[in-house]
Amino acid sequence: MAGPLTGITVVDVTTNISGPSLTMILADLGAEIIKIERPDTGDDSRGMGPFWEGEGVYFLHINRNKNSIVIDLKQENGSKIVYDLVEKADVFVENFRYKKAEKMGLGYEKLKEVNPSLVYCSLSAYGQDGPLRERSGYDAIAQADSGIIGINGAEGSEIARVPVSVLDQGSAMWGAIGIISALLHKEKTGEGQLVTTSLYETGVFWVGYHMLSWLATGQEPKKNGAGHTAFAPYGAFYASDAPVMIGISNNSLFRRLCNVLGKEEWVTDPRYETNPKRVENRENLRVAIENILQSKPADEWVGLLAAAGVPSSKVKKISEVVEDEQAEAINMWKKVPHSSIKDFKLPRLPFELSNSSAEVKQAPPKLGENTKDILEKLGYDEAKIENLLKDKTIQNTEEKAESR
Amino acid sequence: MAGPLTGITVVDVTTNISGPSLTMILADLGAEIIKIERPDTGDDSRGMGPFWEGEGVYFLHINRNKNSIVIDLKQENGSKIVYDLVEKADVFVENFRYKKAEKMGLGYEKLKEVNPSLVYCSLSAYGQDGPLRERSGYDAIAQADSGIIGINGAEGSEIARVPVSVLDQGSAMWGAIGIISALLHKEKTGEGQLVTTSLYETGVFWVGYHMLSWLATGQEPKKNGAGHTAFAPYGAFYASDAPVMIGISNNSLFRRLCNVLGKEEWVTDPRYETNPKRVENRENLRVAIENILQSKPADEWVGLLAAAGVPSSKVKKISEVVEDEQAEAINMWKKVPHSSIKDFKLPRLPFELSNSSAEVKQAPPKLGENTKDILEKLGYDEAKIENLLKDKTIQNTEEKAESR
């Protein structure tokens, strides 16, 4: 099965996490990604540890299904190669700082001249306007600026970022939604357009519920630990050996929980009979639940709660997640041949299509692995390529994976 | 400007957070959403506080730009209305528990008979296979099961969920990416298909970096607080009055930081000269930075660091985010007329399209506000609608917003 973006070519000058995460989504969906990297070092994430047989794991995670070409964009000849690539492409993605693309001759207005139906995406830290637009930014910074860090953790606990780069990964997804929507628009009308997104916008949108709560009540949201502002009981409750997460969002689930705990009388208890009342008496309810949970280990409770249809889970370690039966059963892991890593595998995207699959087919490229192939396909002849190699506008890699 | 999904009709039987967040994305992009709600109470999220003039803020946030129709799906006549709607629609979205849609006569196989080119999306807790597929689930539960909660917070701190329902919002986005990709496939081929996603898959994918780190090193990832496994210095550093987030991912940024701190000698210090060495000596470096930051307040440091191009921010409160100049400058807030809430506003999606905009146009509907309109448009005559009202297959709401 071909992916839904088969036939789409993406010129990708992004580095680090957010931009490459975006083009990974397009790559898995079948687009051809021409990943332009700078000479010698390439994408910054190649140097981010820990390393797996010498390759940075972050780079490995988000650069599968891409082809790497090394071009020195500081040279005039370098920009010319990009124009040639863009002319035959559908999408261009950059995550430079504000106006840097323009300064390099790679701004939207310029590339639109080269290819009028181009879909051009700028993924920035703070957006294309406003007092912070020139700031560089990273996930944790935007988490602090958009209020996420301020409410993460238990009350009084040490400051903590969300540990999975949600704004890098989230802005990548919003960018992908924008680009695929723009491709649908292009399919219908022939028109290209500019797509803009940023880490900051993603963060601000994601705290939407908390912002509206503040507008509605005038009360500053507190750090809630494992709890939830809107529901009770909802959070971590300690069993005899380990904590169990339980989430109750309505009366029917509360009734089931009461049955498992042998506390049917709570269903009609005036302190607990509705969600707003349970929210009001949440601390009281938490203590009462924990008193009961202390009698058995976490696994036993999770089994009983699950059988009764009550949302619950042990708090799992990363190693437990990697080896989880559930992940195995839904084929989250895809084995990919890699030239130096034995038994290399990567998680697939978190959705599946019955008729035009997203796939993990090809390991992340070595730096400049596809330089020659890409330029040959573009119609550059041997002499032209040799000249570009000689004046160091481009770089090639001799080392190629046998298996690809 | 029309949105890129203008002309697309979505039949939406979702409730709570994940499903309605998904169809909100499609709605903002221009699709017509027919939101089917159950009699009397409607979507569970209508009852989730806090409340703004009597309306649950979560419901308000994620149900703009939709039309509500009340149908009792337990009645046979109710399912028939859904078939009539699906026949003329492009997309169907459900977030029921495993196999519940099938039991209600609303499974993919059945609806594909009604409309062969339908794009059908199932958003579940754990996916459509495996030992956990029958479990109901909520954001915090899937966060625990996918390993996010296990690494959130500082070492030794109390258990905390990520406080912005990232798996509800994230799975909604993956579902949207799948659906829009499927619509592109349909535009080219005429074929519909099944899109599946889940909270659990989203969580497992988002811990991808940590899982690969574990596979590469065999070391269980630790709780890192505001730090980052791969970079140093990266995290929260206390100034004289408040904490400042600083994120340094390469040598060039480290050099700038050293200049601002008046510690140029650190650039060539063997303990700090490369990122891997800084990661190794991160605690030592943290203490040294904080000793200097203690001399000035956070705002002053953020000004100096920003001027030097060093990624940094104060840890902001939610109220500060709502009133942030940057959010104002990039038009994150959209004013929408609402029948009972004065000065009602909602955040727009975190991306913009230059040529086929995403928009917030219409306040979230009252329960059953559009029941009659939707059925009239479908071609039901007055007598048929009256009969359905009489036998309580459908419900209408008399109360309508003047402004809509």
Side-chain angles (χ1 to χ4, degrees), chain A residues 126 129 132 145 152 163 191 193-194 196-197 200-201 210 220 316 319 324 326 348 350 352 354-356, chain B residues 126 129 132 145 163 191 193-194 196-197 200-201 210 220 316 319 324 326 348 350 352 354-356:
Chain A
Y126 287 90
D129 210 338
L132 302 187
D145 252 325
N152 190 31
E191 289 174 355
Q193 61 187 312
L194 174 66
T196 54
T197 187
Y200 174 76
E201 283 159 270
H210 297 285
E220 193 74 57
K316 283 189 186 145
S319 58
D324 197 16
Q326 183 63 24
R348 64 164 170 80
E352 292 184 298
S354 63
N355 214 10
S356 54
Chain B
Y126 288 89
D129 210 338
L132 303 187
D145 252 325
E191 289 175 355
Q193 61 186 313
L194 174 66
T196 54
T197 186
Y200 175 76
E201 283 160 88
H210 297 286
E220 193 74 55
K316 283 189 186 145
S319 57
D324 197 16
Q326 182 63 24
R348 64 164 170 81
E352 292 185 298
S354 63
N355 214 10
S356 54

Side-chain angles (χ1 to χ4, degrees), chain B residues 7-27:
Chain B
I8 299 293
T9 302
V10 179
V11 176
D12 173 10
V13 295
T14 66
T15 60
N16 278 304
I17 312 301
S18 62
S21 295
L22 192 172
T23 55
M24 166 190 64
I25 299 169
L26 307 180

Side-chain angles (χ1 to χ4, degrees), chain A residues 40 55 109 115 149 161 194-195 223 226 312 319 369 383:
Chain A
D40 305 325
E55 310 259 1
E109 293 306 321
N115 179 347
I149 287 184
R161 68 185 276 273
L194 174 66
V195 179
K223 286 185 172 188
S312 61
S319 58
E369 178 175 332

Side-chain angles (χ1 to χ4, degrees), chain A residues 169-216:
Chain A
Q169 300 197 65
S171 58
M173 291 163 69
W174 289 118
I177 291 173
I179 288 170
I180 302 167
S181 297
L183 288 171
L184 185 60
H185 180 88
K186 184 184 166 187
E187 186 70 25
K188 290 178 180 174
T189 64
E191 289 174 355
Q193 61 187 312
L194 174 66
V195 179
T196 54
T197 187
S198 68
L199 274 61
Y200 174 76
E201 283 159 270
T202 300
V204 171
F205 186 77
W206 280 0
V207 298
Y209 161 72
H210 297 285
M211 294 193 300
L212 292 187
S213 295
W214 183 80
L215 287 170

Side-chain angles (χ1 to χ4, degrees), chain A residues 189-325:
Chain A
T189 64
E191 289 174 355
Q193 61 187 312
L194 174 66
V195 179
T196 54
T197 187
S198 68
L199 274 61
Y200 174 76
E201 283 159 270
T202 300
V204 171
F205 186 77
W206 280 0
V207 298
Y209 161 72
H210 297 285
M211 294 193 300
L212 292 187
S213 295
W214 183 80
L215 287 170
T217 67
Q219 284 178 4
E220 193 74 57
K222 285 188 208 157
K223 286 185 172 188
N224 255 318
H228 193 294
T229 322
F231 310 120
Y234 200 109
F237 301 84
Y238 282 78
S240 64
D241 60 338
V244 174
M245 283 295 305
I246 299 175
I248 303 294
S249 69
N250 62 44
N251 289 344
S252 154
L253 289 175
F254 184 62
R255 194 161 47 241
R256 293 176 195 200
L257 172 67
C258 294
N259 286 340
V260 174
L261 300 179
K263 286 286 179 187
E264 288 80 359
E265 64 270 28
W266 286 356
V267 175
T268 51
D269 188 316
R271 294 169 302 173
Y272 307 145
E273 63 185 356
T274 65
N275 183 55
K277 287 183 185 173
R278 293 192 292 272
V279 168
E280 204 176 295
N281 297 296
R282 75 163 79 226
E283 180 55 18
N284 182 298
L285 183 55
R286 190 190 64 73
V287 172
I289 293 172
E290 257 182 14
N291 281 340
I292 299 168
L293 287 199
Q294 289 291 324
S295 64
K296 292 187 179 96
D299 275 331
E300 208 172 322
W301 281 119
V302 171
L304 291 168
L305 291 165
V310 176
S312 61
S313 167
K314 256 178 89 172
V315 175
K316 283 189 186 145
K317 292 179 198 169
I318 293 296
S319 58
E320 293 175 303
V321 179
V322 174
E323 292 171 349
D324 197 16
E325 275 187 353

Side-chain angles (χ1 to χ4, degrees), chain A residues 79-89 114 378 380 384:
Chain A
S79 311
K80 278 186 195 155
I81 301 173
V82 180
Y83 300 150
D84 288 343
L85 288 167
V86 164
E87 200 184 331
K88 296 191 178 170
V114 174
L378 196 62
Y380 283 29
K384 190 167 181 183

